[in-house]
């Protein structure tokens, strides 16, 4: 059927019309970018063509075949930006009218004539003054012609008429004639005609505005644009978006001195996401202003390539706020901007996901391990809900895939946990679970459903750890060993730690006396009266095959010794009650434990050593252990 594209659409878009909603045709499409997948289009209005960039949220239109070469589309939302002195259309939203169509017309690449400067032609120099082109100017031999609007020059045979101010000059030496006012200029042989002064005016220094008062600046507010349309070549811009995540305030020290930094993530009504980062003095301005869930109007910042090692958002840029940046709270709630944006993956996809990949996952929580310390407030709330007999829906935003005990999903600083979120995916999942999903068979992709539990645990002896070379691969090995404690080092059994909270986590870095009876943390760069005490316990364990050294940190140390680290530290160093201290240590010797170990090879100086860390230490339940041994014996081959 006949298709009528919007006439002069390309020219009008280049002229600044963003409300046209034109019908155009895709005459070419090309995938660009290596770090982030993007598509560049060549669109046509049947007469002119122009390059356009597709916003990343529209990539699926190309992948699913809705936008391809020949497609007739309607541009719904778009802007025209100048990138490297070329104008390019950024398409933010579109509708496919005809998926497949023959190329309409014979379109040519659009050239903005109002911005194009006249170029030399042979030996002729044409000047259009103020950027206008004059088609009546032609080159004859070595003639030099110059035109300047709004005056007109018309060619009649060999005569050119020019109208100028009433001045007349004649040059008889080189037979060069210049006629102005109402006189006509004629060309005879090699005469040179000039329609403006040929003598270069004397140099004039640029005007000085010193002491002449203030210079007017363009103080009009910047136009709000979608996040997907941001690029480093824009001058003035503004974005309106909701804060979906706010990072911890971190301190650092490098060759240029001490500093502090924090970041937060934004989401706009078009689904665009971007991270903003503040340093030092800018942190003081905005850290207390930014609140998760609020909508802000932000302008004036520097766009730089996103560091994908730390930034998981679907955007190739991130914004660095500066001293001139503005962050204004929008008091009225904007319902067009969602509270959060998810891209959920099924739990089965985690098994094939690369290590350290960042994923969004949603599921029903059926159990929470009480043996693992929960540092996040939502984690503590989650455990209370499950303990009450309710199975909540948990949505994980930006979880990190790891090889902990097979495959697992961990948290990073930007990870967010949402319990029973009010989203369609959560409602559908809850309906499925309550309607019979709770009895459906499932397969665990982790070695242990509950860390430290007995299900699917891998039992090893001390000698097997060495002979099987555990811990020497790229990934750590997780095993359980039944052994007895034979020796505990007491000279450095704990250390003084920083008690300050960084976000929702404790710093825990080693602190030292600052000389005035106060404690100082180099990481937080702060002093305080009281510090924390944390175990760093070196323990020798032994079974019937051999003995080895293991390291137990805070939680595992308390499970082994049965006392908080602070109490034993004060007993040994403040009260100097060595007798009682020694009795406590001797009372733990030769007790049998089930040690849950993480085994990994690490570098110490120039030497590689296998380090074994106690994740959990449980006293042996002899009834359960007897059942395990009987089951093991029944499976042992008989000869």
């Amino acid at each position: 059927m006949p298709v009528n594209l919007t006439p002069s659409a390309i020219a009008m878009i280049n002229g600044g019309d963003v409300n046209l909603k034109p019908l155009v045709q895709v005459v070419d499409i090309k995938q660009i970018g290596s770090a982030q997948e993007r598509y560049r289009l060549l669109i046509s209005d049947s007469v002119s063509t122009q390059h356009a960039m597709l916003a990343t949220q529209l990539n699926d239109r190309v992948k699913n075949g809705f936008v391809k070469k020949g497609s007739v589309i309607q541009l719904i939302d778009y802007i025209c930006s100048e990138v490297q002195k070329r104008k390019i259309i950024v398409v933010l939203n579109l509708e496919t009218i005809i998926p497949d169509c023959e190329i309409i017309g014979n379109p040519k690449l659009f050239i903005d004539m109002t911005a194009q400067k006249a170029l030399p032609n042979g030996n002729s120099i044409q000047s259009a003054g103020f950027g206008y082109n004059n088609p009546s100017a032609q080159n004859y031999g070595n003639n030099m012609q110059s035109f300047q609007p709004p005056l007109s020059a018309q060619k009649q045979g060999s005569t050119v008429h020019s109208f100028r101010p009433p001045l007349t000059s004649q040059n008889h030496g080189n037979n060069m004639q210049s006629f102005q006012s109402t006189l006509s200029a004629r060309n005879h042989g090699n005469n040179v005609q000039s329609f403006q002064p040929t003598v270069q005016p004397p140099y004039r220094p640029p005007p000085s505005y010193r002491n002449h008062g203030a210079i007017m600046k363009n103080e009009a507010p910047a136009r709000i644009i979608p996040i997907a349309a941001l690029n480093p070549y824009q001058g003035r811009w503004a974005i309106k978006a909701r804060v979906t995540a706010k990072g911890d305030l971190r301190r650092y020290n490098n060759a240029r001195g001490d500093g502090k930094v924090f970041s937060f993530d934004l989401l706009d009504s078009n689904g665009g996401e971007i991270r903003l980062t503040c340093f030092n003095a800018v942190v003081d301005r905005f850290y207390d202003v930014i609140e998760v869930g609020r909508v802000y109007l932000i302008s004036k910042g520097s766009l730089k390539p996103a560091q994908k090692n730390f930034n998981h958002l679907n955007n190739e840029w991130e914004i660095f706020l500066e001293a001139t940046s503005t962050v204004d709270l929008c008091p009225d709630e904007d319902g067009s901007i969602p509270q959060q944006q998810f891209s959920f993956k099924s739990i089965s996809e985690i098994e094939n996901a690369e290590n350290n990949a960042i994923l969004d996952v949603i599921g029903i929580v059926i159990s929470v391990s009480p043996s693992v310390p929960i540092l996040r407030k939502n984690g503590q709330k989650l455990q209370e809900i499950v303990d009450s007999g309710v199975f909540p829906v948990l949505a994980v935003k930006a979880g990190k895939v790891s090889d902990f005990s097979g495959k697992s999903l961990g948290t990073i600083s930007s990870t967010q946990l949402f319990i029973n979120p009010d989203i369609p995916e959560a409602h559908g999942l809850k309906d499925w679970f309550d309607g019979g999903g709770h009895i459906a068979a499932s397969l665990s992709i982790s070695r242990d459903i509950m860390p430290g539990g007995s299900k699917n645990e891998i039992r090893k002896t001390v000698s097997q750890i060495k002979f099987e070379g555990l811990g020497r691969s790229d990934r750590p090995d997780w095993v359980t060993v039944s052994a007895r404690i034979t020796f505990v080092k007491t000279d450095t059994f704990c250390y003084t730690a920083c008690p300050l909270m960084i976000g929702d986590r404790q710093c825990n870095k080693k602190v030292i006396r600052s000389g005035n009876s106060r404690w100082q943390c180099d990481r937080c760069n702060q002093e305080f009266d009281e510090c924390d005490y944390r175990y760093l316990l070196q323990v020798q364990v032994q079974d019937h095959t051999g003995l080895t050294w293991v390291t137990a940190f805070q939680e595992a140390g308390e499970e082994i010794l049965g006392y908080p680290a602070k109490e034993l530290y004060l007993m040994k160093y403040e009260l100097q009650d060595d007798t009682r201290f020694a009795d406590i240590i001797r009372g733990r010797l030769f007790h049998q434990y089930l040690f849950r170990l993480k085994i990994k090879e690490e570098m110490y100086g120039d030497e590689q050593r296998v380090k074994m860390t106690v994740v959990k230490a449980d006293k042996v339940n002899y009834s359960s252990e007897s059942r395990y041994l009987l089951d093991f014996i029944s499976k042992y081959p008989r000869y």
Side-chain angles (χ1 to χ4, degrees), residues 277-384:
T277 302
C278 306
F279 286 91
N280 301 326
V282 184
V283 171
D284 298 333
R285 288 183 57 197
F286 297 131
Y287 184 78
D288 294 330
V289 174
I290 299 300
E291 296 181 28
V292 175
R294 306 298 294 270
V295 177
Y296 297 86
L297 190 65
I298 300 174
S299 63
K300 298 180 183 178
S302 298
L303 269 80
K304 298 182 180 180
Q307 300 182 34
K308 287 304 179 182
N309 292 337
F310 312 100
N311 187 345
H312 62 275
L313 299 181
N314 185 25
N315 199 316
E316 59 182 314
W317 306 106
E318 58 183 288
I319 299 174
F320 287 77
L321 295 183
E322 302 168 337
T324 57
S325 301
T326 61
V327 177
D328 298 320
L329 175 66
C330 299
D332 299 330
E333 175 64 23
D334 192 339
S336 65
I337 305 177
Q339 293 290 330
Q340 187 58 264
Q341 180 171 265
F342 295 96
S343 180
F344 289 123
K345 302 292 184 182
S346 63
I347 293 178
S348 61
E349 293 182 70
I350 299 178
E351 186 173 16
N352 298 321
E354 294 184 0
N355 195 33
N356 298 326
I358 305 298
L359 302 177
D360 297 346
V361 175
I362 188 170
I364 301 287
V365 179
I366 58 175
S367 63
V368 176
S369 172
S371 62
V372 177
I374 298 174
L375 301 179
R376 293 179 178 269
K377 295 178 181 179
N378 279 356
Q380 297 172 353
K381 179 181 177 181
L382 195 64
Q383 184 169 359
E384 294 172 359

Side-chain angles (χ1 to χ4, degrees), residues 84-372:
Q84 296 179 347
K85 299 183 179 180
R86 294 189 308 167
K87 285 190 175 182
I88 188 168
I89 301 170
V90 180
V91 181
L92 307 174
N93 193 12
L94 60 84
E95 293 291 340
T96 302
I97 307 302
I98 301 177
D100 199 359
C101 182
E102 295 290 334
I103 301 300
I104 302 172
N106 186 23
K108 305 294 184 184
L109 187 63
F110 176 77
I111 300 177
D112 190 355
M113 300 300 294
T114 62
Q116 185 185 28
K117 295 182 178 180
L119 301 176
N121 183 13
N123 294 325
S124 172
I125 301 177
Q126 302 177 349
S127 174
F130 305 104
Y132 291 90
N133 289 332
N134 195 326
S136 63
Q138 299 182 2
N139 180 24
Y140 294 91
N142 292 323
N143 293 354
M144 181 171 67
Q145 304 172 328
S146 178
F147 304 85
Q148 187 171 7
L151 305 180
S152 62
Q154 298 178 351
K155 178 181 177 183
Q156 299 177 353
S158 298
T159 303
V160 178
H161 300 279
S162 176
F163 300 92
R164 294 288 171 176
L167 296 177
T168 305
S169 64
Q170 296 182 354
N171 185 344
H172 299 284
N174 294 323
N175 203 15
M176 179 174 66
Q177 302 174 335
S178 176
F179 300 91
Q180 297 177 346
S181 183
T182 59
L183 300 180
S184 63
R186 301 179 180 273
N187 182 14
H188 299 283
N190 290 326
N191 290 356
V192 177
Q193 302 174 342
S194 176
F195 296 88
Q196 64 183 26
T198 59
V199 179
Q200 183 176 357
Y203 169 76
R204 294 181 180 180
S208 174
Y209 296 100
R210 185 169 48 193
N211 298 328
H212 288 187
I215 302 174
M216 293 297 295
K217 296 175 63 177
N218 183 8
E219 297 294 346
R223 185 165 64 93
I224 298 176
I225 65 173
I227 288 176
L230 286 173
N231 64 73
Y233 310 105
Q234 289 167 319
R236 303 175 69 244
W237 52 265
I239 55 177
K240 184 180 181 182
R242 188 185 305 277
V243 177
T244 58
K246 179 181 177 181
D248 300 331
L249 177 60
R250 295 181 290 110
R251 301 179 184 274
Y252 62 89
N253 181 276
N254 55 27
R256 291 179 291 182
D258 297 335
K260 50 188 174 181
V261 59
F262 92 101
S263 301
F264 58 97
D265 299 339
L266 293 179
L267 172 67
D268 69 5
S269 58
N270 294 312
E273 294 182 292
I274 196 167
R275 174 160 296 173
L276 285 80
T277 302
C278 306
F279 286 91
N280 301 326
V282 184
V283 171
D284 298 333
R285 288 183 57 197
F286 297 131
Y287 184 78
D288 294 330
V289 174
I290 299 300
E291 296 181 28
V292 175
R294 306 298 294 270
V295 177
Y296 297 86
L297 190 65
I298 300 174
S299 63
K300 298 180 183 178
S302 298
L303 269 80
K304 298 182 180 180
Q307 300 182 34
K308 287 304 179 182
N309 292 337
F310 312 100
N311 187 345
H312 62 275
L313 299 181
N314 185 25
N315 199 316
E316 59 182 314
W317 306 106
E318 58 183 288
I319 299 174
F320 287 77
L321 295 183
E322 302 168 337
T324 57
S325 301
T326 61
V327 177
D328 298 320
L329 175 66
C330 299
D332 299 330
E333 175 64 23
D334 192 339
S336 65
I337 305 177
Q339 293 290 330
Q340 187 58 264
Q341 180 171 265
F342 295 96
S343 180
F344 289 123
K345 302 292 184 182
S346 63
I347 293 178
S348 61
E349 293 182 70
I350 299 178
E351 186 173 16
N352 298 321
E354 294 184 0
N355 195 33
N356 298 326
I358 305 298
L359 302 177
D360 297 346
V361 175
I362 188 170
I364 301 287
V365 179
I366 58 175
S367 63
V368 176
S369 172
S371 62
V372 177

